[in-house]
C-alpha cells in the first residue's frame, strides 16, 4: 500500500541564522514518522534577501523531500502560509513557524491525534518562554477580545501551528479572501478539531519579524474578518451619546427656567461636548473606513501572492501525481 504523505509548511523571513538547525530538527522529527509516512518539507521564502534562499536551495538540491517556494517580495506571514498550503500535496498538512518556537517534535503528537480521527489539531500554548511581557499581555488581551466580538468560538492562545487533514486544506485553498486570519478561517471551517497543549519555546536565533505594525494588522484582520460588531458598536455609542445629550438638554432647560442667575456662558462644558462628539464621530468614520477599505481590496481580486521561483518540485517528488500543483 502506498504510504500517505505529510507536508510541513514553514514560512521563512530573514532566518539565515537558524535554517541549518531548523532543517536538522524538522528532519529528525519527520524521520521518526518515516516508517509510516512519506513527507515533504515546503519552505516558503517570504521575500528575504539575506542568505535564507541560498541555504534553502542547497537543501532542495541535497534532499528530495525539500521544496522551496520563493515569493517575489515580502507578502507577510499569513500569505506565506497560504502559498505553502496551496502547494502542499500531503494527506495532512502541518503549518509551523520557522524559528523553532513551535517544537517540531510536537508534530508526531499531532499526527497521532489525526490518526485518531481528528481533522484539525491545533497547538495551544500553555507556556510561552522568552516572550516580552508586552507581547504576552497584548496577545492575551487580543485573543479574549476577539473571542467576545466574534460569533465563532475561536480557541484562545492558539497560533498557526496546526495539522490539517486534506479535506480541510482543500476547503481552505478555496477561500481566497485578501484579509486573512488563517487560524480563524480554519475554526470557521469546522470539521473535527482538537487542541494539543504545548510549550512555546524561545526563538532559536535572530529576532522577531512580527513588528508592532504587523501585529496590529493581523489583529485588525482577525477582528474585521470575523465580526461586524465594531460597526454596531459605533452605532450603540452614538445612541448612548445622543441620549446623554438629550438628558443634558433637559437639565439645561430646567435650570435656565428655574435658576436663570446660575447660567453663565459655559465654555468648558461646551468644549467637552464638542470634543467628545468629534472623537466619537471620527472613531465611527474610522471603523466604517476600515471595513470599506477591505471591500476595496477584496474587489480588486488580485492574486494573493506572487511566486517568483520554485525549487525541488520535481516530477519524482512524493505526492506529485494527482496533486495538481
Ligand atoms: N514570517 C514571514 N513573513 C513575515 C514575518 C514573519 O514569513 O513577514 C515568518 C518568520 O520567518 C517565522 C514566522 O513567520 O518563521 C513567525 O514569525 P516570528 O517568529 O518573527 O513571529 P513571533 O513568533 O515573534 O510572533
Ligand atoms: Mg516566532
Amino acid at each position: 500500500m502506498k504510504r500517505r504523505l505529510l507536508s510541513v509548511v514553514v514560512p521563512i523571513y530573514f532566518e539565515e541564522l537558524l535554517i541549518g538547525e531548523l532543517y536538522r530538527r524538522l528532519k529528525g522529527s519527520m524521520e521518526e514518522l518515516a516508517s509510516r509516512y512519506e513527507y515533504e518539507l515546503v519552505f516558503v521564502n517570504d521575500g528575504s534577501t539575506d542568505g535564507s534562499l541560498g541555504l534553502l536551495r542547497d537543501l532542495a538540491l541535497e534532499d528530495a523531500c525539500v521544496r522551496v517556494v520563493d515569493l517575489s517580495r515580502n507578502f507577510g506571514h499569513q500569505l506565506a502560509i497560504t502559498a505553502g498550503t496551496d502547494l502542499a500535496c500531503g494527506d495532512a498538512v502541518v503549518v509551523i513557524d520557522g524559528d523553532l518556537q513551535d517544537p517540531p517534535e510536537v508534530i508526531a503528537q499531532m499526527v497521532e491525534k489525526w490518526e485518531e480521527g481528528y481533522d484539525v489539531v491545533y497547538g495551544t500554548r500553555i507556556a510561552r518562554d522568552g516572550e516580552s511581557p508586552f507581547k504576552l499581555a497584548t496577545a492575551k488581551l487580543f485573543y479574549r477580545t476577539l473571542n467576545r466580538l466574534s460569533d465563532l468560538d475561536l480557541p484562545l492562545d492558539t497560533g498557526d501551528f496546526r495539522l490539517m487533514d486534506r479535506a480541510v486544506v482543500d476547503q481552505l485553498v478555496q477561500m481566497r479572501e485578501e484579509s486573512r486570519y488563517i487560524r480563524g478561517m480554519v475554526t470557521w471551517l469546522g470539521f473535527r478539531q482538537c487542541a494539543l497543549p504545548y510549550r512555546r519555546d524561545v526563538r532559536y536565533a535572530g529576532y522577531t519579524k512580527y513588528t508592532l505594525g504587523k501585529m496590529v494588522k493581523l489583529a485588525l484582520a482577525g477582528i474585521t474578518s470575523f465580526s461586524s460588531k465594531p460597526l454596531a458598536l459605533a452605532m450603540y455609542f452614538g445612541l448612548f451619546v445622543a441620549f446623554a445629550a438629550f438628558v443634558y438638554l433637559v437639565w439645561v432647560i430646567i435650570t435656565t427656567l428655574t435658576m436663570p442667575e446660575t447660567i453663565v456662558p459655559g465654555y468648558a462644558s461646551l468644549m467637552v461636548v464638542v470634543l467628545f462628539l468629534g472623537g466619537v464621530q471620527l472613531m465611527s468614520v474610522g471603523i466604517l473606513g476600515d471595513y470599506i477599505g477591505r471591500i476595496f481590496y477584496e474587489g480588486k481580486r488580485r492574486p494573493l501572492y506572487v511566486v517568483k521561483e520554485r525549487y525541488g518540485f520535481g516530477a519524482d517528488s512524493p505526492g506529485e501525481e494527482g496533486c495538481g500543483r
Side-chain angles (χ1 to χ4, degrees):
M1 199 183 95
K2 196 171 176 301
R3 280 180 301 169
R4 292 202 287 173
L5 177 71
L6 299 174
S7 302
V8 182
V9 169
V10 198
I12 296 292
Y13 186 49
F14 285 92
E15 306 287 15
E16 63 181 359
L17 292 177
L18 51 75
I19 283 173
E21 178 68 8
L22 171 67
Y23 172 71
R24 198 185 62 72
R25 288 216 10 221
L26 273 176
K27 188 83 187 165
S29 317
M30 296 318 286
E31 279 300 318
E32 302 263 299
L33 295 164
S35 59
R36 287 179 289 147
Y37 296 101
E38 296 207 44
Y39 65 90
E40 59 173 4
L41 307 175
V42 183
F43 294 96
V44 183
N45 178 41
D46 186 16
S48 2
T49 51
D50 62 347
S52 301
L53 180 63
L55 292 168
L56 292 174
R57 279 170 58 181
D58 291 347
L59 290 177
L61 287 177
E62 284 163 19
D63 184 341
C65 297
V66 173
R67 328 252 171 277
V68 181
V69 185
D70 184 27
L71 299 185
S72 62
R73 63 170 170 85
N74 178 236
F75 282 89
H77 179 229
Q78 297 289 300
L79 291 175
I81 293 178
T82 305
T85 44
D86 285 351
L87 290 169
C89 280
D91 297 290
V93 177
V94 177
V95 174
I96 187 169
D97 273 1
D99 60 356
L100 291 170
Q101 280 195 287
D102 305 330
E105 294 71 26
V106 176
I107 295 176
Q109 300 172 34
M110 291 185 161
V111 170
E112 259 172 45
K113 289 275 182 195
W114 177 53
E115 287 167 345
E116 284 172 24
Y118 288 100
D119 300 303
V120 176
V121 187
Y122 53 86
T124 303
R125 301 146 178 182
I126 40 172
R128 301 180 79 171
D129 296 334
E131 300 268 30
S132 70
F134 176 74
K135 179 131 186 171
L136 287 179
T138 47
K140 211 175 163 103
L141 181 73
F142 166 68
Y143 286 124
R144 276 147 193 84
T145 313
L146 179 59
N147 214 2
R148 296 200 73 158
L149 284 176
S150 163
D151 300 326
L152 281 175
D153 204 2
L154 297 164
L156 299 173
D157 305 317
T158 299
D160 287 310
F161 183 27
R162 66 186 64 223
L163 176 148
M164 294 173 281
D165 185 78
R166 174 47 49 191
V168 177
V169 177
D170 281 345
Q171 294 302 320
L172 189 65
V173 166
Q174 301 293 319
M175 297 164 80
R176 303 317 281 176
E177 60 209 69
E178 169 91 18
S179 161
R180 294 176 93 73
Y181 184 67
I182 295 174
R183 48 201 91 163
M185 292 159 68
V186 176
T187 305
W188 181 87
L189 278 170
F191 291 90
R192 283 194 71 195
Q193 309 217 356
C194 79
L196 185 77
Y198 76 104
R199 282 190 80 85
R200 196 158 158 89
D201 285 337
V202 187
R203 190 174 234 285
Y204 176 75
Y207 55 89
T208 176
K209 307 302 179 313
Y210 254 95
T211 52
L212 186 61
K214 279 184 178 170
M215 262 162 69
V216 171
K217 203 173 149 212
L218 180 70
L220 279 180
I223 290 171
T224 52
S225 318
F226 286 93
S227 169
S228 56
K229 278 190 193 146
L231 290 171
L233 217 68
M235 194 179 68
Y236 290 137
F237 219 60
L239 277 177
F240 169 75
V241 171
F243 179 72
F246 180 73
V247 172
Y248 183 61
L249 182 84
V250 172
W251 183 78
V252 169
I253 292 174
I254 291 173
T255 44
T256 314
L257 292 178
T258 55
M259 304 176 281
E261 69 284 357
T262 62
I263 296 298
V264 283
Y267 178 72
S269 58
L270 204 68
M271 281 312 278
V272 168
V273 171
V274 168
L275 289 178
F276 181 66
L277 270 182
V280 169
Q281 280 167 0
L282 272 183
M283 196 186 80
S284 311
V285 171
I287 293 174
L288 272 177
D290 195 68
Y291 280 92
I292 293 174
R294 279 171 211 279
I295 298 172
F296 166 72
Y297 282 115
E298 296 294 347
K300 289 183 199 283
R301 293 256 145 253
R302 286 196 183 149
L304 296 175
Y305 54 84
V306 177
V307 174
K308 188 159 81 183
E309 198 73 71
R310 304 192 323 194
Y311 308 92
F313 286 84
D316 53 346
S317 56
E320 193 61 30
E321 84 245 27
C323 177
R325 62 191 174 189

